[in-house]
Amino acid sequence: MHKFLLGLFLFFSILVFGQKKFTNNEILKAFPFNKTAKVKIISYNTDFLSEFPIPLPPVGKNGDSTIIKKIIVNQEYPIKLKNILYRESIEGINQSKTLTFKETLELLDLLYNTCGQFKNDMREISKCFFPRNAILFYDENDKVFEILEICFECHRIDFNSKQSLEINDMCDDFYSKLEKFFKDNSLETKYIRK
């Protein structure tokens, strides 16, 4: 009985800790990489605490309508990355870096092989998703065709399209390693209080 339990334990240990890894070739043949000519990592919305801008002062007997109108005109709003799809210009991005082929392979390995290759549909979704970082995938016409948004504050990622190769982000060190990759490339990853 003891040997049976030990064998069962070893089997489940191999199953859990010995997850299959993707090869670079498998990743590069899957969407979005099979259409990618260039990869860029960015930081944006680091000036905003949340997706909602600062509330306006109340309009009332003590409020000056010209001041309120001036605030409304000058109010800045967080960037929605979906608005840059299929465009060349990426206005409003705080920081960006175009990755070399070697850096791209390092990023791909980090994304797809940190936690191994397995499906897990039991995910807890955080409602706070307000990404400040992203990976942009450019086609041969130098236009963004796919976006992977990353929120390091709530530990969540989201591809723009559902046809992209699924990333397993369900291990303890996935987000810390990915955040280190961004920081090592001189990109901010959190809200910057001014």
Side-chain angles (χ1 to χ4, degrees), residues 82-153:
K82 292 181 177 143
N83 297 334
I84 69 164
L85 277 173
Y86 301 104
R87 294 189 182 169
E88 294 173 22
S89 148
I90 51 172
E91 295 175 21
I93 303 301
N94 297 43
Q95 303 165 314
S96 71
K97 180 180 183 202
T98 302
L99 299 181
T100 64
F101 185 69
K102 181 182 176 194
E103 290 168 330
T104 301
L105 289 178
E106 181 184 342
L107 178 63
L108 297 181
D109 189 53
L110 176 65
L111 289 173
Y112 290 97
N113 290 324
T114 298
C115 300
Q117 174 187 348
F118 69 91
K119 301 263 187 203
N120 182 352
D121 293 332
M122 296 179 59
R123 294 177 184 245
E124 184 177 315
I125 303 268
S126 174
K127 304 239 188 273
C128 79
F129 189 62
F130 182 60
R132 300 177 194 282
N133 297 93
I135 303 168
L136 306 180
F137 300 90
Y138 288 79
D139 62 17
E140 66 278 351
N141 298 318
D142 207 31
K143 293 184 179 176
V144 176
F145 73 93
E146 177 63 299
I147 300 168
L148 174 63
E149 293 184 284
I150 306 160
C151 180
F152 288 112
E153 291 158 327

Side-chain angles (χ1 to χ4, degrees), residues 1-99:
M1 181 68 169
H2 180 65
K3 288 182 182 182
F4 174 75
L5 290 176
L6 182 61
L8 193 59
F9 174 75
L10 287 174
F11 172 75
F12 283 114
S13 296
I14 291 170
L15 184 66
V16 171
F17 297 110
Q19 296 297 324
K20 181 179 184 256
K21 305 286 185 181
F22 285 101
T23 66
N24 285 342
N25 203 24
E26 287 175 312
I27 296 169
L28 292 172
K29 285 182 178 179
F31 186 84
F33 309 103
N34 59 353
K35 288 181 55 178
T36 301
K38 175 174 73 174
V39 175
K40 194 178 271 194
I41 57 174
I42 63 168
S43 69
Y44 63 102
N45 289 338
T46 55
D47 300 338
F48 295 95
L49 183 57
S50 74
E51 68 179 303
F52 305 105
I54 298 168
L56 297 172
V59 178
K61 56 184 174 197
N62 297 333
D64 184 349
S65 64
T66 56
I67 293 173
I68 293 172
K69 285 178 186 175
K70 190 175 180 180
I71 291 171
I72 290 171
V73 168
N74 294 324
Q75 184 131 23
E76 292 183 23
Y77 293 89
I79 296 169
K80 300 281 186 195
L81 280 188
K82 292 181 177 143
N83 297 334
I84 69 164
L85 277 173
Y86 301 104
R87 294 189 182 169
E88 294 173 22
S89 148
I90 51 172
E91 295 175 21
I93 303 301
N94 297 43
Q95 303 165 314
S96 71
K97 180 180 183 202
T98 302
L99 299 181

